[in-house]
Amino acid sequence: MFLRKIALLNFKNIAQEELCLCPGVNCFVGDNGAGKTNVLDAVYYLSMCKSSLQMTDGQSIRHGADFFLLEGQYATDDRRHEKVVCSFSRKGGKVLKRNDKEYERLADHVGLLPAVIVSPADSALISDAADERRRYLNAFISQLDRPYLASVMRYNAVLSERNRLLKMHPDETMLSIYDRQLCEHGRTIHARRQEFVERLRPIVSEYYRRLSEDREEVELSYRSELNDRPFEEVLLAARQKDLANEFTTAGIHRDDLTLRIGGYPLRKYGSQGQQKSFLIALKLAQYAVLAQEKHERPLLLLDDLFDKLDAGRVEQLIRLVSTDDFGQILITDCNPTRLQTILDRAGSDYHLFRVCNGAIEQIRAAATDEPAPEPVPELTPELTPEP
């Protein structure tokens, strides 16, 4: 997957920019708060229809504006061309178009343009509650399995209805109706999560070893009450507790992704460098599974690489992702000299952009900028909000 051009209008602190990217490494440097992360978030947004951060669509609109618009031109690994336009306005809501045709459902777009982001926000996967790790699993699997996404949405809707019913002290018959629906969708979700965690586990271990050269063994596992008994039994055993608490206390909405190092919880026993290396290994494993399933190398977005990661590990990461197994890469850093030194030492060719207060300037072009197989239409000359 190759994002040839991206245009941004009123997106966060970026007023209006149009960027031409190279198929390899694209670097964005500038001070903290300049808008580097916003560029990567715009790329992620065009893939996932939402920000990579915990932000509402309205919070992504530039201060003083009423809408934002993003437009991307892509060339896929099998030589297809795609144009994706996403706009959001305070009055009209969100509109997403693929090759000028509007989607009826945003969920139908997820997975078309696979992307993986590594950012400081990933630390929430270690430090925050289990819902962050479930959200990660859902976003990952949804890029590969649209029925899974539909099951998650339906499960959450039924769960909300069941919780509302529990506050009304319902009879057994009514609860049984909701239980059957929860079990139907919950079994599907559990099976897919379990399958993908099993696929990730050995790849995470291998990438961690190559990144850190640490002797510790790392482990990824999926913790669920459904691992040991059927969902129907889980709900039945929790029935009295649910009635007393007036919400659903058991189910796949309480599952977790367990991260361990040397047999111990990563959160308590891993150093900052070990934790960061584990998270990067997890994201690279996600990348590998996506590429295998989609027959398409995803976009790799590396935000603020030096956050809790020393230069040696960053250089090893750059060497890893510079192989043919990886496609286009976007990187941000606040220190251009440091990043250029590592890229030059790794032998990477790259575009370099400077970001300052939302304005973006290209200051270096890759020496070998591979052209796409066919010409890609120019971006819209004048960006206007979608109706």
Side-chain angles (χ1 to χ4, degrees), residues 108-176:
D108 291 339
H109 175 70
V110 176
L112 175 71
L113 309 170
V116 175
I117 187 167
V118 179
S119 79
D122 294 336
S123 61
L125 292 173
I126 296 174
S127 59
D128 285 8
D131 58 347
E132 282 292 336
R133 294 179 284 279
R134 289 192 298 271
R135 189 177 294 115
Y136 163 74
L137 278 178
N138 289 342
F140 164 38
I141 301 172
S142 293
Q143 291 195 69
L144 296 170
D145 188 340
R146 288 179 185 170
Y148 173 87
L149 178 57
S151 291
V152 170
M153 294 171 68
R154 185 56 189 152
Y155 181 94
N156 289 336
V158 174
L159 179 64
S160 178
E161 293 169 6
R162 188 181 192 271
N163 287 340
R164 190 159 46 245
L165 184 67
L166 284 167
K167 298 182 186 303
M168 302 165 61
H169 305 288
D171 58 35
E172 296 286 326
T173 303
M174 287 298 296
L175 275 177
S176 295

Side-chain angles (χ1 to χ4, degrees), residues 53 325 352 370:
L53 307 171
D325 291 337
L352 183 64
E370 302 174 19

Side-chain angles (χ1 to χ4, degrees), residues 279-295:
L279 291 173
I280 293 174
L282 176 62
K283 292 301 187 76
L284 295 184
Q286 174 188 346
Y287 185 103
V289 173
L290 279 170
Q292 183 180 41
E293 287 286 316
K294 303 291 290 185
H295 305 290

